[in-house]
Amino acid sequence: MLFSKFRVGVAILFATVTGVVPSAMAQGAITTPAEYALIMDYRTGEILYEKNARTPTAPASMSKLMTVAIVFERLKNGSLQLSDEFDVSEKAWREREGSSMWVRVNTSIPVLDLLRGIIVQSGNDACIVVAENISGSEEAFAELMNRKAHEWGLNDSTFANPHGMPHPNQKMSMRDLAILTRKIISEYGEYYALFAEREFTWEKIRQSNRNPILGMVDGADGLKTGHTEESGYGLVGSAVQNNERRIVVVNGLDSERQRATESARLMRVAFNDFSSKKIFEAGSVVGDAQVFKGKDKTVPLITHEPVKLMLHRSMLDDVKAKIIYEGPVSAPISENQQIGTLRVEAENGPAREYALYAGKAVKEASVWGKIGLAAMKLLAKPESTDTAIAGE
């Protein structure tokens, strides 16, 4: 059912909705032992499910995605090439805490191989090589990471090192990890295939990709695991099925096995329990706005893009739409002039707003037409200022 809201002389305005608040129904329908979790639709960026997802927490090696993204950005802008070689310092060579690529001191390693060492092998030493060669030191590179986090809208993230080893200032939220993942896939797609590589050999040491969903979920093609005593077991994963992509982020799980099974389960939930409900096609007339001083009393309102909402399957039949505009709209009105917005929402659930445009031009009424309108206004009974809004 479609509702139209207006009141003469009163502006009915809503801020544009840029994200979607996950519904209470969806939240109740999904449970997870993960302390932190998030499911995101890649195409829209809508958050379909979250649990403590905006709380900064220790990300462990998942924060290596930030190091990788900075390298990808420089590859894209041409300031780095995959064939460029980075020198290995003694500090990087001595780094043996946690995962390692097994770099050798006083050697040079191509950027492409260092990326594989970070993505596939999760090498902390490879991260130090990258940091030192880009910024001069780990500390300077951490400052760069923080600047980029601010620039990229990662508002719940702070960095102290390039690899994710425990530090009081090394924090990321699940939401920020999902936003960063979406950026990596959309902006650096030519390099994203590195995340799907199943193994990499360096210094005659073959290591397998630690991402368990690569072999457990159809269409899985990335991204990164993480684990420290402080963080527990975590994963940032993405997969494509039927031309739809989802992003799943979890952290705070108890074991490597639980991380594998729960990440795969949530990815299946992301595809099986959510679907997109289309309400209107692009160009559809969704209603009318009243016109003041016009040759026509109303003007059709159209949307320039498909109107749809990503919903948990329990909510597919519970969608409403409201036309919101300041009205009546004074003529003249040009075709495709923005008039208002269409708010589409599920009860106690997600909502989005779409711009609405005039479906045709409406000319201003002639002098005699205006006289007629003025006469009608004089004869009309005065309206109460507390007139109920239609549809409420």
Side-chain angles (χ1 to χ4, degrees):
M1 183 175 181
L2 187 66
F3 296 97
S4 180
K5 300 175 63 172
F6 74 95
R7 181 183 293 166
V8 176
V10 178
I12 302 173
L13 302 175
F14 289 76
T16 300
V17 177
T18 55
V20 169
V21 180
S23 72
M25 293 177 72
Q27 296 293 84
I30 300 172
T31 59
T32 177
E35 187 175 355
Y36 309 90
L38 179 142
I39 299 173
M40 177 183 280
D41 177 59
Y42 167 77
R43 183 182 59 80
T44 63
E46 294 175 9
I47 297 173
L48 307 180
Y49 168 79
E50 62 178 329
K51 177 184 177 182
N52 300 324
R54 304 182 186 222
T55 303
T57 187
S61 286
M62 294 185 292
S63 61
K64 288 181 170 79
L65 291 177
M66 192 66 179
T67 299
V68 169
I70 289 174
V71 176
F72 284 173
E73 181 185 52
R74 296 195 170 209
L75 289 169
K76 185 173 181 177
N77 67 27
S79 60
L80 267 184
Q81 304 294 325
L82 288 172
S83 57
D84 289 346
E85 296 190 346
F86 283 173
D87 296 330
V88 178
S89 68
E90 183 174 348
K91 181 181 181 181
W93 169 65
R94 288 187 181 279
E95 180 57 52
R96 290 294 179 265
E97 186 177 6
S99 304
S100 180
M101 179 183 173
W102 303 102
V103 301
R104 284 193 296 117
V105 66
N106 296 328
T107 61
S108 297
I109 303 175
V111 169
L112 176 59
D113 289 328
L114 286 166
L115 284 171
R116 288 183 169 123
I118 295 171
I119 293 170
V120 180
Q121 301 176 329
S122 198
N124 294 337
D125 51 357
C127 290
I128 295 173
V129 174
V130 165
E132 290 180 337
N133 280 266
I134 287 180
S135 298
S137 68
E138 285 187 83
E139 295 75 19
F141 189 79
E143 291 178 7
L144 173 61
M145 295 171 81
N146 286 316
R147 290 198 301 273
K148 287 299 178 181
H150 179 75
E151 179 184 327
W152 294 342
L154 309 182
N155 299 321
D156 304 320
S157 297
T158 56
F159 299 94
N161 61 59
H163 39 63
M165 291 299 291
H167 189 284
N169 294 330
Q170 192 83 8
K171 303 289 184 183
M172 294 187 79
S173 68
M174 304 303 98
R175 178 177 177 271
D176 280 1
L177 281 163
I179 291 171
L180 181 59
T181 295
R182 189 167 180 247
K183 178 183 177 68
I184 288 172
I185 297 171
S186 64
E187 297 188 20
Y188 312 123
E190 62 267 46
Y191 311 113
Y192 178 66
L194 290 170
F195 287 99
E197 293 190 2
R198 305 297 289 271
E199 61 179 36
F200 178 58
T201 300
W202 186 256
E203 291 293 335
K204 299 182 180 179
I205 301 172
R206 185 175 69 179
Q207 298 187 59
S208 298
N209 194 319
R210 292 165 170 77
N211 185 349
I213 68 169
L214 291 179
M216 297 177 68
V217 178
D218 290 343
D221 54 11
L223 296 157
K224 193 75 190 70
T225 60
H227 169 249
T228 63
E229 181 114 5
E230 177 188 12
S231 69
Y233 290 83
L235 178 140
V236 183
S238 187
V240 178
Q241 294 181 13
N242 299 318
N243 296 318
E244 295 284 342
R245 180 181 286 278
R246 303 284 192 268
I247 296 167
V248 169
V249 189
V250 293
N251 203 19
L253 290 163
D254 292 336
S255 67
E256 189 173 337
R257 179 181 178 83
Q258 188 182 50
R259 174 176 62 191
T261 56
E262 186 61 13
S263 298
R265 187 188 72 84
L266 285 178
M267 188 64 77
R268 295 187 188 102
V269 167
F271 285 107
N272 296 336
D273 288 16
F274 292 89
S275 62
S276 180
K277 176 160 184 156
K278 186 177 288 185
I279 295 62
F280 296 105
E281 299 284 354
S284 296
V285 175
V286 303
D288 299 284
Q290 290 199 352
V291 176
F292 181 59
K293 296 190 303 181
K295 285 192 171 183
D296 299 316
K297 292 182 180 180
T298 62
V299 60
L301 299 175
I302 65 172
T303 174
H304 285 176
E305 57 181 318
V307 176
K308 59 178 68 174
L309 203 59
M310 186 70 64
L311 296 166
H312 191 269
R313 61 187 178 186
S314 62
M315 305 181 67
L316 289 176
D317 297 324
D318 185 33
V319 181
K320 295 179 180 179
K322 294 180 182 179
I323 294 172
I324 305 166
Y325 68 100
E326 182 181 353
V329 185
S330 296
I333 299 170
S334 58
E335 187 174 0
N336 288 321
Q337 175 182 328
Q338 185 173 348
I339 300 295
T341 57
L342 180 71
R343 182 178 178 87
V344 183
E345 59 189 340
E347 186 176 352
N348 298 319
R352 290 191 70 191
E353 290 193 359
Y354 295 83
L356 293 178
Y357 304 88
K360 69 174 186 177
V362 178
K363 293 182 179 180
E364 192 172 8
S366 65
V367 174
W368 291 109
K370 291 179 184 177
I371 292 173
L373 287 169
M376 290 173 64
K377 187 174 182 179
L378 287 170
L379 293 172
K381 293 181 180 179
E383 283 190 287
S384 168
T385 55
D386 294 325
T387 302
I389 297 174
E392 292 191 337

